[in-house]
Amino acid sequence: MTVRGTLAKLVLTTVLLLAPLTPGPAGAAPRETAPGTEVAAADDWTAPLSTRGRWIVDADGDRFRLRSGNWHGASGTWNGTGSVDEDAGHHAGENSHRIPLGLDRAPMTEIIAGFQEIGINSVRLPFSNEMIHDTRSVTDDAVAANPGLRGRTPLQVYDAVVRALTDAGLAVILNNHTNTTRWCCGVDGNERWNASRSTEAWENDWLFMATRYQQNKRVVGADLYNEVRRDIWDDPNWGLGDNHDWFTAAQRVGDRILSEAAPDLLIIVEGINWTGIPVDGFAHGRPTLEPARALSHTLVDSGKLVYSAHFYGYTGPNHSGATGIGETTDPRYQDLSPGELTAVLNRQAFFVTAEQDRHFTAPVWISEFGVGGREETGVAARAWFENFVDHLIRTDADFAYWPLVGWHENRRGNGWALLHWDSAGRRMGIHDGDDWRAGAWTRLVRSGGRSGHVAPVADWSMLSPDHSDFVASRRMRALPDWDSGARKAACPDGQRLLGLSHTGNRGLCSDVTTGHLWDPAGRHEVVKDERHVAPGGDWATGYTKLQCPAGHFLTGYSVRGAAVSAALCAKAAPGGITGTSSRTVWFDRSDNRGTHPRGGDFARGHYKGQCADDEYAAGIAYTGRIGSSRTPDALYCRDLG
């Protein structure tokens, strides 16, 4: 849940309400920068970015750590009550005028120079769907310090900001923060990607934005939606297949962005921020990324998925951050001991990077965290920030502070920002000598962590045709329907099927050991009978065997209900598979995945079978006897050679 002055308060009365809460007071400081505190942000990096295991890398394969901040405003600052034209109606009295905050107070070049001075190399740039379609020009007052932006629409100002950031060498992550141009995060029409517009319209907006900046290679990511949470009546979910299914919505729009608009972008999926009713005795909490352990995304392009999460001290794993009405007795993160905090953080998000060779292994970007500045005197809040920074350093995590830019007047104002400007354009910053956060911030942006070249690693991917097709292969997507009426699953190009579940329809893919195995011509065969089972080669007596022809390997399958429908066999490249030994892996009565299987539990609660890393799957066996649902019972595993 986002801490920038608004907390979702869910209250059970006749209906469920969410109410805003403003964080504590903040102060200001002189402009001078303390000697030795500057941190250069000019990384030597080559766009675009991709991932290797838990690391983000640049086009040369060198680690690129997202040391980011949030430059908010284009997603809106109006609180939803009072006049939208008056500053008092905006969060903390800071009126962004529908564009990145501060352009009325300081030249864009000065603001961006400030970002570089404090050591960031990337900016998360929020926008609203409403902003995209807003044809009203910004007022002259809104861009008083940047007169060259007069007469432009908010989107055109956003364009100029993107260009200026990337021209300065900074990476930009586009963030769909809200549906409507107003402050997040209550019952405000911004709870889900489709709260105030259809899913189709949301997807089209993303394709528009991704295409708009496709030629600017320092626009590196699409952060799909901010803080998905409960509305008055409904919770979001992760995998139920309905209109509130965040897993499926993110999977679909991510694939569309890569396939139809901008194949270079990182696809950033935030976990679920809140479900349930925050009243003692009622189920409630912050799932964050925990559901990804059981159900993770597989995009059409491996090496493009990044997961993200938000953490603030005054929220908690089961605490909305509310005070008074709607507050529960659950601990906040800042109430936890350092050991307890570490355990919770690892459980909720950091396991994604800590556990290697899993279907869910990916970089985790903590795309929001923050705390009040000069006037934050709370011992717990200060200790939490220090402890959280320590965890970011310890885990070598990617991060983005909220927010970068704020206002001050006479050294007072919303003190959460790292840089503040007053109405006369005078700046005060985190390194101006009296901001208690300066030490922790400098420690964070200067922390070493991994650098240099990151060797390619094996990808492990989950197939989940739970409710519809799950075809992660670009080749197969471009071809006609290969099993009409069935739900189809196919590994990403370059991977092969290694595991199946007995029930539940899940599969596991990888490129381990061999790398890209598919013949360059992309030849394949759909197998629905036993025509390729050689005489004397019955590897599952009494069972129906869908076996690939010689020189082919399994790269997908289809199901009707729970029943196997077809096997998708890809022809291997010449010399790709030369082994002659084989074995049958049965998994109809228990797991059969070897002693130390990689890939992780890809079908929790179901029996699973898996070929070894140096094998390929060449067939699926099932039975149609009475009482059977024709679910997979065995895999035919052959030596790669």
PDB file of all heavy atoms in Angstrom, residues 527-546:
ATOM      1  N   VAL A 527       0.473 -34.639 -31.999  1.00  0.00           N
ATOM      2  CA  VAL A 527       0.278 -36.084 -31.891  1.00  0.00           C
ATOM      3  C   VAL A 527      -0.944 -36.364 -31.020  1.00  0.00           C
ATOM      4  O   VAL A 527      -1.018 -35.891 -29.880  1.00  0.00           O
ATOM      5  CB  VAL A 527       1.524 -36.762 -31.297  1.00  0.00           C
ATOM      6  CG1 VAL A 527       1.289 -38.258 -31.098  1.00  0.00           C
ATOM      7  CG2 VAL A 527       2.731 -36.518 -32.183  1.00  0.00           C
ATOM      8  N   LYS A 528      -1.889 -37.155 -31.571  1.00  0.00           N
ATOM      9  CA  LYS A 528      -3.103 -37.495 -30.838  1.00  0.00           C
ATOM     10  C   LYS A 528      -3.335 -39.000 -30.736  1.00  0.00           C
ATOM     11  O   LYS A 528      -4.373 -39.432 -30.248  1.00  0.00           O
ATOM     12  CB  LYS A 528      -4.318 -36.838 -31.504  1.00  0.00           C
ATOM     13  CG  LYS A 528      -4.266 -35.310 -31.510  1.00  0.00           C
ATOM     14  CD  LYS A 528      -5.544 -34.713 -32.086  1.00  0.00           C
ATOM     15  CE  LYS A 528      -5.507 -33.194 -32.053  1.00  0.00           C
ATOM     16  NZ  LYS A 528      -6.757 -32.585 -32.575  1.00  0.00           N
ATOM     17  N   ASP A 529      -2.383 -39.789 -31.226  1.00  0.00           N
ATOM     18  CA  ASP A 529      -2.539 -41.252 -31.176  1.00  0.00           C
ATOM     19  C   ASP A 529      -1.168 -41.898 -31.020  1.00  0.00           C
ATOM     20  O   ASP A 529      -0.164 -41.216 -30.812  1.00  0.00           O
ATOM     21  CB  ASP A 529      -3.255 -41.756 -32.428  1.00  0.00           C
ATOM     22  CG  ASP A 529      -2.569 -41.314 -33.711  1.00  0.00           C
ATOM     23  OD1 ASP A 529      -1.321 -41.210 -33.723  1.00  0.00           O
ATOM     24  OD2 ASP A 529      -3.274 -41.043 -34.704  1.00  0.00           O
ATOM     25  N   GLU A 530      -1.125 -43.226 -31.163  1.00  0.00           N
ATOM     26  CA  GLU A 530       0.096 -43.983 -30.887  1.00  0.00           C
ATOM     27  C   GLU A 530       0.900 -44.297 -32.150  1.00  0.00           C
ATOM     28  O   GLU A 530       1.715 -45.217 -32.149  1.00  0.00           O
ATOM     29  CB  GLU A 530      -0.256 -45.281 -30.153  1.00  0.00           C
ATOM     30  CG  GLU A 530      -0.845 -45.063 -28.779  1.00  0.00           C
ATOM     31  CD  GLU A 530      -0.973 -46.360 -27.987  1.00  0.00           C
ATOM     32  OE1 GLU A 530      -0.955 -47.449 -28.606  1.00  0.00           O
ATOM     33  OE2 GLU A 530      -1.066 -46.283 -26.744  1.00  0.00           O
ATOM     34  N   ARG A 531       0.738 -43.560 -33.201  1.00  0.00           N
ATOM     35  CA  ARG A 531       1.379 -43.899 -34.475  1.00  0.00           C
ATOM     36  C   ARG A 531       2.903 -43.930 -34.405  1.00  0.00           C
ATOM     37  O   ARG A 531       3.552 -44.578 -35.208  1.00  0.00           O
ATOM     38  CB  ARG A 531       0.949 -42.918 -35.558  1.00  0.00           C
ATOM     39  CG  ARG A 531       1.472 -41.506 -35.394  1.00  0.00           C
ATOM     40  CD  ARG A 531       0.929 -40.568 -36.466  1.00  0.00           C
ATOM     41  NE  ARG A 531      -0.518 -40.448 -36.344  1.00  0.00           N
ATOM     42  CZ  ARG A 531      -1.288 -39.872 -37.261  1.00  0.00           C
ATOM     43  NH1 ARG A 531      -0.740 -39.401 -38.369  1.00  0.00           N
ATOM     44  NH2 ARG A 531      -2.593 -39.773 -37.070  1.00  0.00           N
ATOM     45  N   HIS A 532       3.491 -43.239 -33.430  1.00  0.00           N
ATOM     46  CA  HIS A 532       4.949 -43.191 -33.365  1.00  0.00           C
ATOM     47  C   HIS A 532       5.528 -44.140 -32.316  1.00  0.00           C
ATOM     48  O   HIS A 532       6.743 -44.092 -32.068  1.00  0.00           O
ATOM     49  CB  HIS A 532       5.414 -41.765 -33.083  1.00  0.00           C
ATOM     50  CG  HIS A 532       5.067 -40.801 -34.174  1.00  0.00           C
ATOM     51  ND1 HIS A 532       5.540 -40.930 -35.469  1.00  0.00           N
ATOM     52  CD2 HIS A 532       4.271 -39.696 -34.166  1.00  0.00           C
ATOM     53  CE1 HIS A 532       5.060 -39.949 -36.210  1.00  0.00           C
ATOM     54  NE2 HIS A 532       4.291 -39.179 -35.444  1.00  0.00           N
ATOM     55  N   VAL A 533       4.696 -44.984 -31.727  1.00  0.00           N
ATOM     56  CA  VAL A 533       5.207 -45.988 -30.789  1.00  0.00           C
ATOM     57  C   VAL A 533       5.704 -47.170 -31.614  1.00  0.00           C
ATOM     58  O   VAL A 533       4.926 -47.853 -32.280  1.00  0.00           O
ATOM     59  CB  VAL A 533       4.126 -46.442 -29.794  1.00  0.00           C
ATOM     60  CG1 VAL A 533       4.694 -47.495 -28.835  1.00  0.00           C
ATOM     61  CG2 VAL A 533       3.591 -45.238 -29.010  1.00  0.00           C
ATOM     62  N   ALA A 534       7.005 -47.396 -31.584  1.00  0.00           N
ATOM     63  CA  ALA A 534       7.601 -48.442 -32.409  1.00  0.00           C
ATOM     64  C   ALA A 534       7.247 -49.827 -31.870  1.00  0.00           C
ATOM     65  O   ALA A 534       7.058 -50.006 -30.660  1.00  0.00           O
ATOM     66  CB  ALA A 534       9.118 -48.267 -32.447  1.00  0.00           C
ATOM     67  N   PRO A 535       7.149 -50.812 -32.745  1.00  0.00           N
ATOM     68  CA  PRO A 535       6.920 -52.198 -32.286  1.00  0.00           C
ATOM     69  C   PRO A 535       7.991 -52.609 -31.283  1.00  0.00           C
ATOM     70  O   PRO A 535       9.186 -52.379 -31.491  1.00  0.00           O
ATOM     71  CB  PRO A 535       7.017 -53.011 -33.588  1.00  0.00           C
ATOM     72  CG  PRO A 535       6.673 -52.039 -34.667  1.00  0.00           C
ATOM     73  CD  PRO A 535       7.227 -50.727 -34.213  1.00  0.00           C
ATOM     74  N   GLY A 536       7.521 -53.183 -30.177  1.00  0.00           N
ATOM     75  CA  GLY A 536       8.446 -53.580 -29.128  1.00  0.00           C
ATOM     76  C   GLY A 536       8.890 -52.436 -28.243  1.00  0.00           C
ATOM     77  O   GLY A 536       9.715 -52.635 -27.340  1.00  0.00           O
ATOM     78  N   GLY A 537       8.366 -51.247 -28.490  1.00  0.00           N
ATOM     79  CA  GLY A 537       8.778 -50.082 -27.712  1.00  0.00           C
ATOM     80  C   GLY A 537       7.703 -49.578 -26.782  1.00  0.00           C
ATOM     81  O   GLY A 537       7.601 -48.367 -26.564  1.00  0.00           O
ATOM     82  N   ASP A 538       6.879 -50.494 -26.247  1.00  0.00           N
ATOM     83  CA  ASP A 538       5.790 -50.099 -25.350  1.00  0.00           C
ATOM     84  C   ASP A 538       6.374 -49.691 -23.998  1.00  0.00           C
ATOM     85  O   ASP A 538       6.772 -50.542 -23.202  1.00  0.00           O
ATOM     86  CB  ASP A 538       4.814 -51.264 -25.183  1.00  0.00           C
ATOM     87  CG  ASP A 538       3.548 -50.846 -24.458  1.00  0.00           C
ATOM     88  OD1 ASP A 538       3.548 -49.762 -23.840  1.00  0.00           O
ATOM     89  OD2 ASP A 538       2.567 -51.603 -24.499  1.00  0.00           O
ATOM     90  N   TRP A 539       6.421 -48.410 -23.755  1.00  0.00           N
ATOM     91  CA  TRP A 539       7.032 -47.899 -22.520  1.00  0.00           C
ATOM     92  C   TRP A 539       6.019 -47.655 -21.407  1.00  0.00           C
ATOM     93  O   TRP A 539       6.406 -47.246 -20.293  1.00  0.00           O
ATOM     94  CB  TRP A 539       7.814 -46.615 -22.807  1.00  0.00           C
ATOM     95  CG  TRP A 539       7.070 -45.567 -23.593  1.00  0.00           C
ATOM     96  CD1 TRP A 539       7.012 -45.456 -24.940  1.00  0.00           C
ATOM     97  CD2 TRP A 539       6.283 -44.489 -23.063  1.00  0.00           C
ATOM     98  NE1 TRP A 539       6.232 -44.387 -25.314  1.00  0.00           N
ATOM     99  CE2 TRP A 539       5.786 -43.760 -24.172  1.00  0.00           C
ATOM    100  CE3 TRP A 539       5.953 -44.058 -21.783  1.00  0.00           C
ATOM    101  CZ2 TRP A 539       4.973 -42.644 -24.021  1.00  0.00           C
ATOM    102  CZ3 TRP A 539       5.152 -42.945 -21.620  1.00  0.00           C
ATOM    103  CH2 TRP A 539       4.671 -42.253 -22.736  1.00  0.00           C
ATOM    104  N   ALA A 540       4.715 -47.924 -21.679  1.00  0.00           N
ATOM    105  CA  ALA A 540       3.665 -47.797 -20.651  1.00  0.00           C
ATOM    106  C   ALA A 540       2.559 -48.783 -20.999  1.00  0.00           C
ATOM    107  O   ALA A 540       1.507 -48.390 -21.520  1.00  0.00           O
ATOM    108  CB  ALA A 540       3.153 -46.364 -20.573  1.00  0.00           C
ATOM    109  N   THR A 541       2.792 -50.039 -20.720  1.00  0.00           N
ATOM    110  CA  THR A 541       1.880 -51.109 -21.126  1.00  0.00           C
ATOM    111  C   THR A 541       0.485 -50.889 -20.568  1.00  0.00           C
ATOM    112  O   THR A 541       0.309 -50.622 -19.371  1.00  0.00           O
ATOM    113  CB  THR A 541       2.418 -52.467 -20.652  1.00  0.00           C
ATOM    114  OG1 THR A 541       3.740 -52.649 -21.176  1.00  0.00           O
ATOM    115  CG2 THR A 541       1.524 -53.603 -21.121  1.00  0.00           C
ATOM    116  N   GLY A 542      -0.496 -50.991 -21.467  1.00  0.00           N
ATOM    117  CA  GLY A 542      -1.886 -50.836 -21.057  1.00  0.00           C
ATOM    118  C   GLY A 542      -2.361 -49.402 -21.015  1.00  0.00           C
ATOM    119  O   GLY A 542      -3.533 -49.149 -20.719  1.00  0.00           O
ATOM    120  N   TYR A 543      -1.489 -48.478 -21.321  1.00  0.00           N
ATOM    121  CA  TYR A 543      -1.834 -47.058 -21.294  1.00  0.00           C
ATOM    122  C   TYR A 543      -1.762 -46.491 -22.713  1.00  0.00           C
ATOM    123  O   TYR A 543      -0.987 -46.956 -23.553  1.00  0.00           O
ATOM    124  CB  TYR A 543      -0.882 -46.270 -20.387  1.00  0.00           C
ATOM    125  CG  TYR A 543      -1.132 -46.473 -18.918  1.00  0.00           C
ATOM    126  CD1 TYR A 543      -0.833 -47.690 -18.312  1.00  0.00           C
ATOM    127  CD2 TYR A 543      -1.672 -45.468 -18.134  1.00  0.00           C
ATOM    128  CE1 TYR A 543      -1.068 -47.894 -16.949  1.00  0.00           C
ATOM    129  CE2 TYR A 543      -1.911 -45.647 -16.785  1.00  0.00           C
ATOM    130  CZ  TYR A 543      -1.612 -46.863 -16.199  1.00  0.00           C
ATOM    131  OH  TYR A 543      -1.852 -47.053 -14.856  1.00  0.00           O
ATOM    132  N   THR A 544      -2.556 -45.474 -22.970  1.00  0.00           N
ATOM    133  CA  THR A 544      -2.476 -44.763 -24.238  1.00  0.00           C
ATOM    134  C   THR A 544      -1.254 -43.862 -24.213  1.00  0.00           C
ATOM    135  O   THR A 544      -1.035 -43.123 -23.253  1.00  0.00           O
ATOM    136  CB  THR A 544      -3.743 -43.925 -24.470  1.00  0.00           C
ATOM    137  OG1 THR A 544      -4.878 -44.781 -24.484  1.00  0.00           O
ATOM    138  CG2 THR A 544      -3.653 -43.180 -25.793  1.00  0.00           C
ATOM    139  N   LYS A 545      -0.472 -43.933 -25.290  1.00  0.00           N
ATOM    140  CA  LYS A 545       0.806 -43.220 -25.329  1.00  0.00           C
ATOM    141  C   LYS A 545       0.819 -42.231 -26.501  1.00  0.00           C
ATOM    142  O   LYS A 545       0.670 -42.627 -27.657  1.00  0.00           O
ATOM    143  CB  LYS A 545       1.952 -44.219 -25.474  1.00  0.00           C
ATOM    144  CG  LYS A 545       2.112 -45.127 -24.257  1.00  0.00           C
ATOM    145  CD  LYS A 545       2.963 -46.320 -24.542  1.00  0.00           C
ATOM    146  CE  LYS A 545       2.192 -47.366 -25.355  1.00  0.00           C
ATOM    147  NZ  LYS A 545       1.106 -47.984 -24.612  1.00  0.00           N
ATOM    148  N   LEU A 546       0.959 -40.954 -26.188  1.00  0.00           N
ATOM    149  CA  LEU A 546       1.132 -39.920 -27.208  1.00  0.00           C
ATOM    150  C   LEU A 546       2.626 -39.664 -27.314  1.00  0.00           C
ATOM    151  O   LEU A 546       3.207 -38.932 -26.514  1.00  0.00           O
ATOM    152  CB  LEU A 546       0.386 -38.643 -26.828  1.00  0.00           C
ATOM    153  CG  LEU A 546      -1.109 -38.797 -26.512  1.00  0.00           C
ATOM    154  CD1 LEU A 546      -1.729 -37.432 -26.227  1.00  0.00           C
ATOM    155  CD2 LEU A 546      -1.837 -39.498 -27.633  1.00  0.00           C
TER     156      LEU A 546
END
